[in-house]
Amino acid sequence: VQLQASGGGSVQAGGSLRLSCAASGRTFSRYAVAWFRQSPGGEREFVASITWTHRTSYTRSVKGRFTISRDNAENTAYLQMNTLKPEDTAVYFCAVGARSYDDFTRSTADRYDAWGQGTQVTVSS
């Protein structure tokens, strides 16, 4: 499967961005999708995930601000990011789950076997 992430950019604190992750080469609707992020010098961390049944999970720091969704007809997943903070600055990666029909929300990178190239999000104070 090939993933293309887009939608990153530079915004001021309190602003919003919507990231997109377009998938091809796999029956997208059968797999979970997740967003991870990595800041300079930091480790890749889980942000949000959505299962094939649309169950969602978020890391605590983004709950209430970020929303993950998917449009299976368009083979695309989204991450709506509101009330952005400088600490949200990172490269954001989308990933597709390794197992089809997996209805458990997964927050570790080893549960995902296809990754996009990343899109930079920069939030200034």
Side-chain angles (χ1 to χ4, degrees), residues 1-124:
V1 61
Q2 291 77 46
L3 301 176
Q4 181 70 40
S6 61
S10 297
V11 297
Q12 290 191 326
S16 298
L17 286 172
R18 188 175 82 152
L19 306 184
S20 298
C21 177
S24 62
R26 186 183 287 182
T27 307
F28 179 75
S29 61
R30 301 175 184 174
Y31 295 87
V33 180
W35 289 93
F36 288 75
R37 65 187 179 187
Q38 188 167 15
S39 55
E43 296 185 352
R44 190 167 297 190
E45 66 168 346
F46 170 78
V47 176
S49 66
I50 184 168
T51 68
W52 73 288
T53 60
H54 295 239
R55 291 178 61 186
T56 59
S57 177
Y58 299 90
T59 192
R60 184 182 302 178
S61 63
V62 308
K63 278 184 179 179
R65 300 188 297 122
F66 291 11
T67 302
I68 189 171
S69 62
R70 64 190 299 160
D71 183 342
N72 291 333
E74 296 293 329
N75 282 357
T76 302
Y78 303 96
L79 185 68
Q80 177 66 44
M81 306 186 296
N82 297 329
T83 320
L84 282 160
K85 303 176 180 180
E87 51 263 43
D88 295 319
T89 295
V91 177
Y92 284 70
F93 299 88
C94 60
V96 170
R99 290 178 54 195
S100 59
Y101 303 117
D102 184 1
D103 201 35
F104 290 97
T105 53
R106 308 290 185 185
S107 61
T108 56
D110 62 356
R111 297 292 187 174
Y112 300 87
D113 67 349
W115 294 80
Q117 84 287 5
T119 185
Q120 176 71 47
V121 172
T122 303
V123 185
S124 58

